[in-house]
Amino acid sequence: MARPTSSHSKPGRTLLLLLALILALGGTMFLQQAFTPKLGLDLAGGTTVTLSPVTQNGAAPPEEILDRAVNIIRTRVNGTGISDAEVAKSGDNIIISIPGVGQSEAIALVATTAELRFRQVMAMEATQLLQDQLATEAPTPGASPSAAPSSSSSSTPTKSVQPQSSTSPAARPSTSPTGKALSSALTSPAPAPTATETKKQPNKGDNGRKATPTPSPSAQPEQDPNAGIDTTGIDPAVLKQFHELDCTDPKKRGQGVQDDPNKQYAGCESDGTFKYVLDVAKVVGTDIDTASSGVQQGSTEWVVQLDFKSKGATEWSKLTSTAFNSQEPRNKVAVVLDGVVITAPNIISPIPGGRAEITGGFNQKSAGELAEQLKYGALPLKFERSSIETVSSTLGQDQLRGGLISGIIGLALVVVYSLLYYRGLGIVAVLSLVVASILTYTAVVVLGQNAGFRLSLPHIIGLVVSIGITADSFIVYFERIRDEMKEGRRTLRAAVEVAWVRARRTILIADAVMFIAAVVLYVLAVGGVAGFAFAMGLTTLIDVVVVFMFTKPFIALLARMKFFAKGHPLSGLDAERMSVSPSSGAAGRKTTPQEA
């Protein structure tokens, strides 16, 4: 009997570990100020967005491309399968229902194409918007007049694309070779006169040539719009678009435009301060392997980290090498997202390795959203929003009330049955259900805050089913204890330990079967079915924790009490129920199937 005796000192320690786990989950809820679960679409309402595809010839899009768009959007809004967001195809339209968000959040999440291009800058020019911004800045007393804005430097010096080391930004050593390349690859050269400056000085010609003074404005000859611009290799049609481009109007900057990666492109800076002529895209969004967000080493700035695929890494190295060997402004590489330039840094050294970082005044939320969009892929079609509706939760509240009522009824029936049949042992069953409920509730709240888990009606069904799973586990254990008592074990403490050795294997096998079924269902299904499977798998794991860390050690403690050890009539372990005479001992026991 050495095995049972060796575990007698462990019940208290195990219960303390369970208490520490509950306190940890409760502390997380308190620190995050989250005390209620997040509710799904059918319980809390949300936003429904209908997207209609836009094709060049107005024809219906191919079915496989539309299916790909559905999969990308579904991955964006419900990548883990637990957020209760729904994406469905209705004819050529895509209907997206997102719980708990407003219309603006829903639009930003599903309608952004996230088409990323890396293009070499062929020409650039400061806009009137930048000149107006500089004009409003008061000059420093005693300082020399500042030069006009240069096309060689961006108006947002914090924006850049740069090499990324193999470690995370927060842990990247500043002395690594990659870290040195990071600082040197973004050094801007000295400002040079721009085309804007040339146009502002009509009395001076290029290369020191003296311009002919004009007697009056009416007789002034027209300026060459391409003055100061190297037009070599630039498509004349794109050059014309460049001159006609108005970046001062936010509505005309081209946000959301799906630019052709195989053609040159005229685009605006995201803040409208510069406009560019950009070469064909040598690296595109599909060349990205993974994308993530983090904090840059040595600062509090959020960045988006990119890892390129093997082909993308090769093209990225070629692109930066080409820019390195070019003159200003062609030594820049523009990062174009959905038709708008978000940054265009200088490249003064090739960047091999297939890694890069994008910075651009991001915060944690915007960096995370961009990383998710790039990681999950760009939409293969351009969509327009046909309708945006707010979904009411009135029907969902009725469903929630019905689900809670059914759960309470089921829980009450289990409690009544346990107390009537097992008497004193039924208290252990009731307390086990209470502990399981506490763990389930705190886990749902914490997952909702940190993993986007939203409690919907299918999730509630999965949680209600868990009542039966938990009850089945302690019933198996109770019956094993009673079998050991019927076999004539002289002490309850010995019966508790021997019965646990036999019962735990049965419990683990049953829970393993349930968990495997939940995993398979979660992987193969989508929408509400996947949510049901997740809830069922979660409660199965909680059942294992409760049985191992509460039910068994708590019974081991009760076995030391005279009320249970002496077989009190209300304990559920009395001689009458065990079918054993109080004085007969082992002689009065029944023959077990194993002995037969």
Side-chain angles (χ1 to χ4, degrees), residues 34-40 440-441 444-446 448-449 453-455:
F35 303 103
T36 57
K38 289 188 174 181
L39 301 180
T440 301
Y441 184 85
V444 167
V445 173
V446 172
Q449 191 69 19
F453 179 79
R454 288 187 174 271
L455 195 62

Side-chain angles (χ1 to χ4, degrees), residues 4 37 42 53 59 81 98 116 135 171 179 265 301 320 377 395 398 424 432 438 452 492 494 552 590:
D42 53 354
I98 308 175
L116 187 70
Y265 179 70
E301 183 179 6
T320 54
L395 180 61
D398 295 336
S432 297
I438 294 174
L492 177 59
K552 191 272 175 182
K590 296 182 179 180

Side-chain angles (χ1 to χ4, degrees), residues 81-82 440 444 447 453-466 469 518 522 528-542:
I82 61 177
T440 301
V444 167
L447 286 173
F453 179 79
R454 288 187 174 271
L455 195 62
S456 65
L457 189 60
H459 296 151
I460 293 176
I461 296 173
L463 298 179
V464 171
V465 170
S466 68
I469 299 175
Y522 174 78
V529 179
F532 167 80
F534 179 85
M536 189 170 63
L538 174 65
T539 51
T540 302
L541 294 178
I542 291 176

Side-chain angles (χ1 to χ4, degrees), residues 318-563:
K318 291 180 180 179
L319 176 60
T320 54
S321 298
T322 301
F324 167 68
N325 295 316
S326 302
Q327 298 296 322
E328 183 77 23
R330 301 191 178 189
N331 63 338
K332 298 176 181 291
V333 171
V335 182
V336 185
L337 180 66
D338 294 334
V340 175
V341 177
I342 61 175
T343 182
N346 291 347
I347 303 296
I348 63 172
S349 65
I351 305 177
R355 295 187 176 187
E357 290 177 352
I358 299 176
T359 65
F362 297 116
N363 54 30
Q364 181 178 2
K365 181 179 179 181
S366 60
E369 289 176 351
L370 177 58
E372 292 295 305
Q373 291 170 355
L374 298 178
K375 178 171 63 176
Y376 292 135
L379 298 181
L381 290 171
K382 182 179 179 180
F383 291 90
E384 64 180 7
R385 296 182 294 275
S386 300
S387 65
I388 306 173
E389 300 177 356
T390 300
V391 180
S392 173
S393 60
T394 304
L395 180 61
Q397 294 297 328
D398 295 336
Q399 294 175 340
L400 176 60
R401 189 178 300 107
L404 292 178
I405 291 174
S406 64
I408 293 173
I409 293 175
L411 184 62
L413 291 176
V414 172
V415 169
V416 171
Y417 171 81
S418 300
L419 293 176
L420 290 177
Y421 188 76
Y422 289 107
R423 299 185 182 180
L425 285 179
I427 298 176
V428 181
V430 173
L431 293 178
S432 297
L433 290 174
V434 171
V435 173
S437 300
I438 294 174
L439 287 175
T440 301
Y441 184 85
T442 54
V444 167
V445 173
V446 172
L447 286 173
Q449 191 69 19
N450 298 279
F453 179 79
R454 288 187 174 271
L455 195 62
S456 65
L457 189 60
H459 296 151
I460 293 176
I461 296 173
L463 298 179
V464 171
V465 170
S466 68
I467 298 175
I469 299 175
T470 305
D472 180 70
S473 296
F474 59 67
I475 287 174
V476 169
Y477 187 27
F478 290 170
E479 292 299 323
R480 279 292 186 182
I481 293 176
R482 298 175 70 170
D483 287 342
E484 291 297 322
M485 296 295 293
K486 291 176 182 180
E487 290 179 7
R489 302 288 178 183
R490 295 190 177 277
T491 64
L492 177 59
R493 297 174 65 178
V496 165
E497 298 300 331
V498 175
W500 171 246
V501 174
R502 297 181 179 182
R504 68 184 177 189
R505 182 170 62 179
T506 304
I507 294 172
L508 287 176
I509 291 175
D511 283 341
V513 172
M514 184 68 68
F515 186 75
I516 292 173
V519 170
V520 173
L521 194 60
Y522 174 78
V523 172
L524 299 181
V526 295
V529 179
F532 167 80
F534 179 85
M536 189 170 63
L538 174 65
T539 51
T540 302
L541 294 178
I542 291 176
D543 173 61
V544 174
V545 173
V546 171
V547 172
F548 275 75
M549 300 186 70
F550 179 79
T551 305
K552 191 272 175 182
F554 192 66
I555 291 180
L557 291 179
L558 294 181
R560 302 177 183 181
M561 299 174 59
K562 293 182 178 180
F563 179 82

Side-chain angles (χ1 to χ4, degrees), residues 13 23 39 54 65 93 102 111 152 161 189 209 253 265 277 298 324 361 373 380 407 419 447 487 525 563 595:
R13 187 187 309 170
L23 292 177
L39 301 180
V54 178
I65 294 182
N93 297 331
S152 64
V161 61
R209 291 179 297 176
R253 291 175 189 168
Y265 179 70
V277 175
F324 167 68
Q373 291 170 355
L419 293 176
L447 286 173
E487 290 179 7
F563 179 82
E595 291 174 336

